[in-house]
Amino acid sequence: MSTPGDSRPAAKPQRILSCVLCQQRKIKCDRKSPCGNCLRAGADCVLATRQRRRRFAERDLLERLRHYEDLLRHNHIPFQPLHPPPDDDPTSPGGSEPTSHRSELEQPPPDAVSDPSVKTKTKRKAEAADRGLGQDVSQAVITTAWNQMYQSEPGDYLLFGHAKTNIDLAAIHPDQAQIFRLWQIYLDNVDPLLKITHTPTLQSRIIDAAADIAQVPPALEALMFSIYCMALLSLSDDACQRAFGASRKEQLATYQVACQQALRGCDIFRAADRDSLTALLLYLVSIREEADPRTLSSMLAIAIRIAHRMGLHREPANARCLALEGEMRRRLWWSLIMFDSRICEIFDYRAAPLDPTWDCQPPVNIHDFDLRPEMKKLPAGHDRPTEAIFTVVRSEVTDFIRHSSFHLDLTNPLLHRLVDRSQNASDLSRFEHSIEQKFLNSCSLDNPLQYMTLWTARGSLAKSHLLDYYTQRAKATTEPTETGLDWALNQALSIIQSDTRLMASSLTVGYRWFLLMYFPLPAYVHILQDLRKRPGKRADSVWEAMGDNYEARKMSSMRSESPIFVVFSRLVLQAWEARETASPDQPLQPPQMVVDVRRRILQMQASFPREADKDPTNGNATSALATDNGPLPMPANMPANIGSVGQGVAAYEPELLASTRTDPLNYASLFGAHEMGVDLNQLYLSPMDWIFAQP
């Protein structure tokens, strides 16, 4: 038993700090040694030690601030001063100009002296400044300084080029009736799939702008031209001709040029407003048909950098805004990221910006009329589908993919350590079940948007299963089982069938512009490669599914000279040849897709003379088509000079269709002296090689 003399004050327990790695990653640490995060990441856990932060004296901070203000005055840069300059020496380096020559930013408002409330606010600001230079104040000063320094040289010519003439944009706008017609087409065909404009507030602004088109603000004008572009993009050639009496291509080109000039006018590269960035995104979507995906990806990188500067990728920045502004920022960020990801998939999946380094939350399932400008708190999401259901479901699926193991394995395995598996689900099947229960089961097959949402989501989830299968196969050390091969084949068929339902339905006619961006080539590659190895596996049903999709997408009208079509044709003909080889004693009727592909290949052969015909030194050259291994086999009654005299193959079509066996083709010779730069005759693709090679 202790005596009063032995009592000592209890020692204060030492506070355990977060480890160094958790502090750097800005995540919660359990303060154990080693902590759970470091154990999962396989990293060394080093406990942090408390260090006293160096504090500058208030006098030093104020002297530094006065010095920076003097530099701004000396270089005649307007700013918001925190300290009034001395009145006795206006010509000194630290002095200011006379009041009459000071910028508007430096001059106090006229009623500032007489209004007591203004005096109180000014005093509070001065007291806050005396406590130190805040982040908002410094950012405002820096932004003003940069704007003033480069006011005369915005730098937009670096991308758009120098403006040769001043275009009167007011004269390019359509008349009021056509403005409202284009706006309605945009609301019907484009807005439901993107949801990056708020209809109730934007419609009133467009009505006011149409009444006085010469006085439209630059950002709104750029947004209007981008809406015209997207409305025309969503129309077919015939529909555009009927509605506006002009060809779609000409109208679209006119408004795209006007949109470029309007973006230049709103200073898009330095702007930090949502309207300008929305206009830029819509413009980039509208040029997708004609743009090289590599060029478009570079331009999208500029848009993403602008979004970063605006803080759209950071949820704390969005949460500080009012409910309407914050939600529209989220929608804009997700639309921008998903479009850029799709463009990157076309040529290099690893360049896709879907990574777990940003924390913007997916949009909420609410209607536009649920959001009002004065609202401070975001409404709760609906349990039933809303007008934002397509964007919400796509964002949810994309958010899962960017945290998933298979996606990080394909892009950057080092990012695995940034994903907290306790907060981000990793089981794809479980996630698919939750999406079905939460969104898809309540979608109506009679509603165009909900029909589009249902089959787009299921096709995207099936594609994710297929990618997961490939990453698992890449890690496996044993041969795949029949069960595994059948499962992967079912996923590829699910992609094809979902796409067929979308393309063949009359409900999605207005959404075809979006569907054309998502040709299911990965599924075709997997199925055709599987049929080469297992030609008898569910062959009839598989060929029928591909034929239905071939017809629904009207692939018979695809440009035959497209290199993608040549590769696709080779895969189709090789798969059918394997089917015929596996059944030598059974006559097979080729599917219509095979017949069409063979006909178009032969038409291409008739259109391209062999290399000898192009050589002026070869006077005795015959016009028969040849390959590297000798003349190309032809039906017996087809003349050898079909290529040179320009005869078609229609007269010989019965014999071509009767012969089901595929002759060896020299695809590279169809383009002359290997103009494609690859030898397609040596092209044997694995599904991983072409899984993201989208046309």
Side-chain angles (χ1 to χ4, degrees):
M1 183 175 181
S2 61
T3 61
D6 296 335
S7 64
R8 298 178 181 177
K12 185 177 181 180
Q14 184 177 2
R15 182 183 179 185
I16 301 177
L17 304 178
S18 300
C19 71
V20 174
L21 186 59
C22 289
Q23 289 183 4
Q24 293 174 348
R25 294 170 59 187
K26 296 182 179 179
I27 59 177
K28 185 176 181 181
C29 181
D30 57 16
R31 303 174 188 268
K32 297 180 181 179
S33 181
C35 70
N37 295 327
C38 291
L39 284 175
R40 285 191 294 270
D44 294 333
C45 186
V46 180
L47 293 178
T49 57
R50 181 179 296 276
Q51 296 181 353
R52 297 184 62 85
R53 295 182 179 178
R54 178 187 175 192
R55 293 188 177 183
F56 292 97
E58 291 185 2
R59 181 176 300 177
D60 294 339
L61 288 174
L62 295 177
E63 288 298 330
R64 289 190 178 194
L65 184 57
R66 289 191 178 93
H67 175 65
Y68 296 147
E69 290 181 349
D70 292 342
L71 290 176
L72 292 174
R73 291 192 184 95
H74 181 72
N75 290 277
H76 306 289
I77 299 175
F79 65 98
Q80 183 79 32
L82 297 177
H83 301 88
D87 297 331
D88 55 348
D89 189 10
T91 61
S92 64
S96 65
E97 298 178 1
T99 304
S100 59
H101 298 287
R102 291 166 63 185
S103 67
E104 296 180 1
L105 286 175
E106 292 189 67
Q107 295 185 23
D111 55 348
V113 178
S114 58
D115 191 346
S117 62
V118 174
K119 290 182 178 180
T120 304
K121 292 180 181 178
T122 305
K123 182 177 179 181
R124 290 176 180 174
K125 289 182 178 180
E127 292 175 351
D130 289 341
R131 291 193 295 268
L133 185 60
Q135 180 180 0
D136 294 337
V137 175
S138 63
Q139 186 61 42
V141 172
I142 292 173
T143 301
T144 303
W146 283 115
N147 289 342
Q148 181 69 20
M149 186 178 300
Y150 292 99
Q151 184 174 5
S152 60
E153 289 291 338
D156 52 14
Y157 67 91
L158 297 174
L159 184 63
F160 291 135
H162 289 281
K164 297 181 180 179
T165 57
N166 292 324
I167 300 178
D168 184 10
L169 294 179
I172 304 179
H173 282 277
D175 57 43
Q176 287 191 8
Q178 290 193 357
I179 288 178
F180 297 138
R181 181 177 295 179
L182 289 168
W183 169 244
Q184 188 59 49
I185 293 172
Y186 170 85
L187 292 180
D188 293 339
N189 299 344
V190 180
D191 179 67
L193 304 186
L194 299 182
K195 296 307 298 179
I196 56 177
T197 53
H198 185 245
T199 302
T201 55
L202 181 57
Q203 181 162 288
S204 60
R205 296 170 62 196
I206 290 179
I207 293 174
D208 295 339
D212 189 5
I213 206 68
Q215 302 299 323
V216 181
L220 178 58
E221 187 165 48
L223 183 56
M224 291 176 67
F225 276 117
S226 67
I227 288 174
Y228 304 158
C229 293
M230 288 302 303
L232 292 171
L233 179 72
S234 68
L235 296 178
S236 64
D237 294 336
D238 294 339
C240 185
Q241 188 71 37
R242 291 193 303 267
F244 303 103
S247 69
R248 172 178 174 270
K249 185 176 181 180
E250 293 176 357
Q251 289 277 84
L252 191 56
T254 299
Y255 289 134
Q256 285 172 347
V257 171
C259 189
Q260 291 179 9
Q261 299 303 316
L263 288 170
R264 182 200 298 272
C266 69
D267 199 7
I268 180 60
F269 298 128
R270 298 189 299 178
D273 64 283
R274 182 167 49 83
D275 282 349
S276 299
L277 184 57
T278 302
L280 178 59
L281 174 56
L282 292 177
Y283 166 74
L284 294 177
V285 175
S286 73
I287 66 173
R288 184 205 61 84
E289 286 184 339
E290 305 297 332
D292 185 321
R294 294 166 298 182
T295 302
L296 189 55
S297 176
S298 299
M299 299 179 70
L300 278 166
I302 297 176
I304 291 177
R305 178 57 61 88
I306 296 173
H308 280 165
R309 189 169 66 237
M310 295 171 59
L312 267 62
H313 63 300
R314 295 188 295 108
E315 183 58 29
N318 297 330
R320 286 196 296 266
C321 301
L322 293 177
L324 171 59
E325 180 65 20
E327 185 65 7
M328 296 310 299
R329 285 164 59 95
R330 296 183 188 95
R331 292 181 182 180
L332 180 56
W333 171 256
W334 279 98
S335 292
L336 179 61
I337 285 297
M338 288 188 290
F339 179 58
D340 184 49
S341 176
R342 175 58 190 157
I343 297 302
C344 289
E345 284 183 2
I346 296 177
F347 64 94
D348 184 6
Y349 183 80
R350 290 169 179 80
L354 295 181
D355 56 58
T357 58
W358 42 271
D359 61 352
C360 178
Q361 294 297 313
V364 181
N365 186 31
I366 54 179
H367 296 282
D368 277 2
F369 58 76
D370 292 328
L371 292 168
R372 296 187 298 276
E374 70 277 4
M375 294 179 64
K376 296 183 178 180
K377 186 177 179 180
L378 190 66
H382 294 279
D383 296 331
R384 303 290 298 177
T386 67
E387 61 192 38
I389 184 65
F390 186 79
T391 297
V392 170
V393 173
R394 285 188 70 221
S395 301
E396 292 282 353
V397 173
T398 305
D399 191 43
F400 172 84
I401 291 175
R402 73 187 184 99
H403 291 95
S404 63
S405 298
F406 68 84
H407 173 76
L408 297 179
D409 286 338
L410 289 169
T411 54
N412 189 350
L414 295 177
L415 295 178
H416 276 290
R417 63 184 62 183
L418 298 181
V419 179
D420 187 357
R421 294 300 173 195
S422 63
Q423 299 180 3
N424 297 277
S426 58
D427 190 330
L428 180 55
S429 298
R430 185 178 301 176
F431 173 76
E432 182 179 17
H433 178 73
S434 67
I435 288 293
E436 289 280 351
Q437 295 294 323
K438 186 176 180 181
F439 298 110
L440 303 186
N441 286 348
S442 56
C443 288
S444 171
L445 296 179
D446 297 326
N447 182 285
L449 182 61
Q450 296 176 26
Y451 183 91
M452 180 83 171
T453 303
L454 179 68
W455 294 113
T456 300
R458 287 177 176 172
S460 179
L461 291 169
K463 180 181 177 181
S464 298
H465 278 296
L466 195 59
L467 296 181
D468 190 19
Y469 169 79
Y470 284 129
T471 56
Q472 296 300 324
R473 287 305 312 154
K475 301 175 184 177
T477 58
T478 59
E479 291 296 322
T481 63
E482 283 294 316
T483 303
L485 292 173
D486 290 343
W487 184 87
L489 180 62
N490 288 334
Q491 299 302 323
L493 281 174
S494 179
I495 300 173
I496 294 287
Q497 292 166 349
S498 296
D499 185 74
T500 302
R501 288 186 174 93
L502 290 170
M503 292 298 300
S505 174
S506 59
L507 296 174
T508 60
V509 172
Y511 304 149
R512 295 283 166 79
W513 66 271
F514 182 90
L515 295 173
L516 291 176
M517 292 193 296
Y518 289 87
F519 178 73
L521 183 60
Y524 272 107
V525 172
H526 179 90
I527 293 173
L528 293 171
Q529 298 285 35
D530 187 89
L531 288 175
R532 287 179 58 192
K533 299 176 181 178
R534 305 188 301 164
K537 194 69 177 181
R538 300 167 53 188
D540 293 337
S541 61
V542 172
W543 280 105
E544 181 182 0
M546 289 191 296
D548 292 341
N549 187 259
Y550 187 90
E551 180 64 26
R553 279 196 165 266
K554 295 180 172 57
M555 293 174 63
S556 58
S557 61
M558 181 189 294
R559 292 186 300 113
S560 298
E561 66 273 15
S562 168
I564 294 296
F565 177 77
V566 173
V567 174
F568 174 80
S569 300
R570 182 172 180 81
L571 293 174
V572 170
L573 297 181
Q574 286 176 342
W576 183 250
E577 182 180 3
R579 175 84 188 281
E580 291 180 323
T581 303
S583 305
D585 300 329
Q586 179 182 1
L588 298 175
Q589 181 65 29
Q592 184 59 37
M593 179 174 70
V594 175
V595 173
D596 183 73
V597 167
R598 181 181 288 122
R599 179 191 298 113
R600 296 176 66 187
I601 288 294
L602 291 174
Q603 288 174 345
M604 292 172 64
Q605 291 174 329
S607 301
F608 286 87
R610 64 188 179 91
E611 291 303 305
D613 294 337
K614 298 182 179 181
D615 188 358
T617 63
N618 188 357
N620 298 322
T622 62
S623 56
L625 293 173
T627 68
D628 294 339
N629 300 320
L632 180 67
M634 291 281 187
N637 63 341
M638 180 174 286
N641 62 346
I642 184 175
S644 61
V645 299
Q647 289 181 271
V649 298
Y652 310 98
E653 184 171 318
E655 183 164 347
L656 292 176
L657 302 187
S659 175
T660 59
R661 184 61 57 89
T662 304
D663 294 321
L665 299 176
N666 186 342
Y667 295 93
S669 67
L670 299 179
F671 297 89
H674 299 279
E675 295 175 8
M676 292 176 59
V678 295
D679 185 2
L680 293 177
N681 294 297
Q682 302 299 324
L683 200 56
Y684 293 94
L685 305 173
S686 69
M688 279 299 292
D689 295 330
W690 277 87
I691 192 67
F692 298 111
Q694 307 288 328

